Amino acid sequence: LDSLTRNLNDLQEALIEFEQSKSEASEAEMKLEVLTTEHIATAAQLNAVCSDLAATKYSAQAELDCTVKKWEGENSNLKFEINVLKSRGDAHVGLNDNNSEECASVDNVKEDEAVLRARIKERDEKISGLESEIVRSEQLRRKIHNRIQEPRGNIRVFVRTRPFLPGDGCTRSGDNSTSAISILSD
């Protein structure tokens, strides 16, 4: 009887522990559901912020590119004007101040010459820039070609040659000889 009472007490204690662990497990499941919901909401917010950031970055980059092009054009125009003014300055240094009519006609000729010199210098700079861009593009093309070629594997051709043996189809009968190599015409 004492053993049954002890067993009953042990079972009751085990039942109480089981109920406590069951309630703790259900609380943990509820916390897990809450955390999962919060995680999903946070992930959705993060994705929304990332897409907004990407859109902002794209529009800012487009605006920056537009501004850069505008300032590059302005820079080019200013360089051209500088070259023209330099050429005009060089032309005025050699003029004589005694004859004003001659100076005026020479000014017009020198102005045309200055503009042409400035344009030539501008075109030369543009040509050198384009040549350097061609070199960079060719290097990029080679790099991309090699990157594409590597996964496929480089194609290698191995050829082995050996001398003709007596039974290779080369027959000689007097002056008439037949070759073992045949050539197909197109």
Side-chain angles (χ1 to χ4, degrees):
L1 186 63
D2 285 330
S3 71
L4 287 178
T5 308
R6 274 186 269 144
N7 284 340
L8 179 63
N9 289 339
D10 290 341
L11 287 175
Q12 286 175 348
E13 288 176 10
L15 179 63
I16 291 170
E17 288 178 17
F18 178 72
E19 291 294 328
Q20 287 175 350
S21 64
K22 187 176 177 183
S23 66
E24 289 174 1
S26 65
E27 288 176 14
E29 285 180 4
M30 283 188 235
K31 286 181 182 179
L32 179 64
E33 288 178 19
V34 168
L35 289 174
T36 304
T37 305
E38 288 177 4
H39 175 71
I40 291 171
T42 305
Q45 288 175 346
L46 179 63
N47 288 337
V49 168
C50 285
S51 64
D52 288 346
L53 180 63
T56 304
K57 180 182 174 185
Y58 179 75
S59 64
Q61 185 65 39
E63 186 177 328
L64 178 66
D65 291 343
C66 182
T67 306
V68 166
K69 285 182 183 179
K70 175 185 164 190
W71 288 114
E72 284 176 351
E74 185 69 25
N75 187 20
S76 175
N77 289 337
L78 289 174
K79 283 183 180 179
F80 177 74
E81 288 180 26
I82 288 170
N83 288 333
V84 169
L85 291 173
K86 281 182 181 178
S87 296
R88 285 181 186 166
D90 292 342
H92 283 295
V93 169
L95 287 179
N96 202 354
D97 290 332
N98 296 337
N99 193 349
S100 63
E101 279 183 29
E102 193 176 295
C103 287
S105 66
V106 169
D107 278 347
N108 289 338
V109 169
K110 292 293 184 182
E111 183 176 320
D112 291 341
E113 182 181 337
V115 170
L116 291 175
R117 285 179 191 259
R119 284 186 181 160
I120 289 171
K121 187 173 182 180
E122 181 183 2
R123 294 231 169 91
D124 288 344
E125 290 172 358
K126 196 173 197 177
I127 287 171
S128 66
L130 290 172
E131 287 173 345
S132 65
E133 188 175 332
I134 286 173
V135 169
R136 284 192 310 270
S137 297
E138 181 63 22
Q139 289 172 346
L140 178 65
R141 185 197 66 79
R142 286 181 184 166
K143 186 176 180 180
I144 290 171
H145 172 75
N146 290 337
R147 209 178 264 171
I148 290 171
Q149 191 65 26
E150 262 184 38
R152 291 187 197 166
N154 293 331
I155 298 172
R156 293 185 179 98
V157 177
F158 296 100
V159 177
R160 192 190 85 161
T161 60
R162 63 174 176 78
F164 284 109
L165 298 175
D168 281 344
C170 186
T171 59
R172 292 182 187 238
S173 57
D175 290 35
N176 190 8
S177 64
T178 305
S179 175
I181 301 171
S182 58
I183 300 172
L184 301 174
S185 62
D186 293 340

